[in-house]
Amino acid sequence: MKTFFQFAERGTTYRKETLAGITTFLSMAYILIVNPIILSQAGMDKGALFTATALSAIVGSLLIGVLANFPIGIAPSMGLNSFFTFSVCIGMGVPWEIALTGVFVAGIIFMILSVMKIREKIINVIPQDLKYAIAGGIGFFVAFIGFKNAGLVVANPETFVSIGNLSSSNTLLAVFGFVITLMMLVRGIRGGIFYGMVATTVLGMITGKIEVPHSIIGKVPSLDPTFGVVFTHLGDIFTLEVLAVIFTFLFVAFFDTAGALIAVASQAGIMKDNKIPNTGRALLADSASGVAGAIFGTSTTASFVESSAGVAVGGRTGFTSIVIAFCFSIALFFSPILSVITPEVTAPALIIVGALMATEVRHINWSRLEIVIPTFVTIIMMPLTFSVATGIALGFVLYPLAMISLKKWKDVHPIMYILCALFIVYFAFS
């Protein structure tokens, strides 16, 4: 097992990998609760959605762990489940069965692109400075999510955002978790992020801010209402409206996943010579999980940026992903316990992990303006637009234009020009 996952080469142990897997699971376990809540508003069965969410996470995490040896968790994407429900089903009036079939078709196209190594080629031709910007930008984005979940940053109609209510008991609980985690990390305590989450949960239950579960074991809901629905609606996708939806699923999922892979590989020290090993296998695992998720009955899956929480406590190999899959398997039967994993519990971890990921920006060549502006826009627009894909797209547009202005167009790979043109068209019609 150690040889298969290359423990020696990546400087890790079973203990580190297990702790990393549990930490990542705790950071992304909210998807088991939130995904059914969001997708059920499109008319889908909430119980079936819970099971489909867990199963898609199990399949995806196992695949990327075994095939690509990556310490990443895969589950239904938060951005795409909202797009599925509010934009496609509610906004456009597309029945959820047809929308889910669109997710299935997008997954099949993804698999084809992965097998043909087109996705891998695109990721490998991204300039190194942009890759560092993507990794750092995701760090700012993850931290922003953490501040929002902690109640430290709230919406404001006059200034868009402002500081939250610092006297709120829930916010104070998150602040406690942040401080205790910070103290452990700076003292060099391995697993400080995980221990901080445990301490926050315990304090929350003691103070009554987190409800103590009344039971431990719960019944696994039936998958019948959603399983295999995609196969009965394949003939309904050939309309301009649904084809546009499929393209959007492709665009957002591609660059969400690309961003997560770059960020985690960079943080874990896996990326070498501006290339990520086993990229093709990782992308194949990601796209296959999307197909499986659609068959089970959930929206598009993606590699979770929260995986960086596990990397921060030592995760370096696919064994971390195996542990994540195992945790999701257990969660199927112990769903009542999930109620203790509240946003206040995971928020401190996200803030600190965001800070650790943001250090990647130190590798950017800040002395060249043609690099500074595209990379800065990539970084800042991820949290400001609440979208990794949008930040990446803007960087892909500005970088070739800046290089052309300096008559250095030959230094840019032709694929970057194609992507630049596609993104300009996408923004023009979005």
Side-chain angles (χ1 to χ4, degrees):
M1 186 76 75
K2 289 182 178 180
T3 302
F4 179 82
F5 288 110
Q6 300 176 333
F7 274 26
E9 293 90 328
R10 299 191 182 181
T12 189
T13 63
Y14 280 120
R15 180 183 179 279
K16 289 180 182 178
E17 296 293 304
T18 302
L19 189 60
I22 296 172
T23 301
T24 295
F25 167 75
L26 292 176
S27 298
M28 60 187 289
Y30 68 87
I31 198 67
L32 289 168
I33 306 300
V34 178
N35 195 51
I37 291 174
I38 293 175
L39 293 181
S40 63
Q41 296 179 61
M44 303 176 73
D45 182 84
K46 189 178 291 186
L49 285 167
F50 172 83
T51 305
T53 301
L55 290 176
S56 64
I58 293 168
V59 170
S61 300
L62 280 175
L63 285 175
I64 201 166
V66 174
L67 292 180
N69 199 20
F70 264 49
I72 286 179
I74 293 178
S77 165
M78 272 298 294
L80 287 173
N81 58 12
S82 297
F83 173 76
F84 181 100
T85 296
F86 302 114
S87 296
V88 179
C89 295
I90 295 177
M92 299 168 63
V94 177
W96 67 265
E97 296 90 344
I98 298 176
L100 196 62
T101 306
V103 171
F104 174 75
V105 173
I108 294 294
I109 296 173
F110 261 149
M111 287 189 68
I112 295 172
L113 294 176
S114 299
V115 170
M116 295 174 66
K117 296 190 175 182
I118 294 176
R119 295 177 73 189
E120 181 179 359
K121 182 68 174 178
I122 292 173
I123 290 178
N124 285 336
V125 302
I126 298 173
Q128 193 165 35
D129 288 293
L130 277 182
K131 282 183 177 175
Y132 288 133
I134 291 169
I138 289 177
F140 284 97
F141 180 53
V142 167
F144 182 71
I145 294 173
F147 282 117
K148 179 182 73 71
N149 290 350
L152 289 167
V153 173
V154 297
N156 186 304
E158 297 178 356
T159 60
F160 289 103
V161 293
S162 62
I163 193 167
N165 181 7
L166 298 182
S167 63
S168 166
S169 55
N170 289 336
T171 299
L172 289 174
L173 179 63
V175 170
F176 164 79
F178 177 77
V179 172
I180 198 71
T181 304
L182 170 66
M183 292 173 66
M184 285 190 285
L185 287 178
V186 297
R187 288 180 61 85
I189 298 176
R190 288 192 173 274
I193 293 176
F194 172 74
Y195 299 137
M197 294 170 75
V198 172
T200 306
T201 302
V202 172
L203 179 63
M205 289 190 289
I206 292 174
T207 58
K209 297 306 171 185
I210 296 177
E211 186 176 350
V212 179
H214 298 294
S215 60
I216 297 177
I217 300 175
K219 183 179 178 181
V220 180
S222 171
L223 204 61
D224 288 344
T226 59
F227 184 77
V229 168
V230 295
F231 298 117
T232 61
H233 291 272
L234 287 172
D236 299 323
I237 65 170
F238 298 102
T239 66
L240 282 177
E241 189 177 51
V242 178
L243 290 175
V245 168
I246 292 174
F247 172 77
T248 303
F249 282 136
L250 281 169
F251 168 76
V252 179
F254 181 97
F255 288 102
D256 270 352
T257 294
L261 287 177
I262 291 170
V264 173
S266 179
Q267 183 187 6
I270 298 173
M271 189 163 60
K272 304 295 182 183
D273 299 323
N274 199 34
K275 291 186 178 181
I276 304 171
N278 298 327
T279 307
R281 293 183 179 185
L283 294 171
L284 180 60
D286 178 75
S287 55
S289 68
V291 173
I295 295 173
F296 292 140
T298 184
S299 56
T300 307
T301 60
S303 300
F304 263 51
V305 293
E306 284 88 347
S307 302
S308 52
V311 174
V313 298
R316 293 294 182 271
T317 76
F319 191 80
T320 293
S321 299
I322 304 301
V323 175
I324 295 169
F326 178 73
C327 290
F328 273 106
S329 301
I330 295 176
L332 273 171
F333 303 94
F334 294 88
S335 55
I337 298 179
L338 294 175
S339 61
V340 305
I341 307 173
T342 65
E344 293 78 22
V345 170
T346 59
L350 295 180
I351 296 170
I352 289 174
V353 165
L356 296 174
M357 294 178 70
T359 61
E360 292 298 311
V361 302
R362 72 186 186 277
H363 300 298
I364 296 172
N365 188 345
W366 293 107
S367 63
R368 294 172 56 188
L369 199 59
E370 71 273 20
I371 291 176
V372 169
I373 295 176
T375 54
F376 175 76
V377 171
T378 299
I379 293 167
I380 196 66
M381 290 304 284
M382 285 186 188
L384 291 185
T385 62
F386 216 75
S387 170
V388 170
T390 300
I392 293 174
L394 289 169
F396 277 29
V397 170
L398 294 176
Y399 184 83
L401 294 179
M403 297 301 282
I404 290 172
S405 300
L406 287 175
K407 298 181 180 181
K408 294 182 178 180
W409 58 273
K410 289 184 179 180
D411 294 341
V412 180
H413 196 282
I415 290 178
M416 289 295 293
Y417 289 114
I418 296 172
L419 292 173
C420 175
L422 289 175
F423 290 141
I424 290 173
V425 173
Y426 175 80
F427 284 127
F429 292 97
S430 62

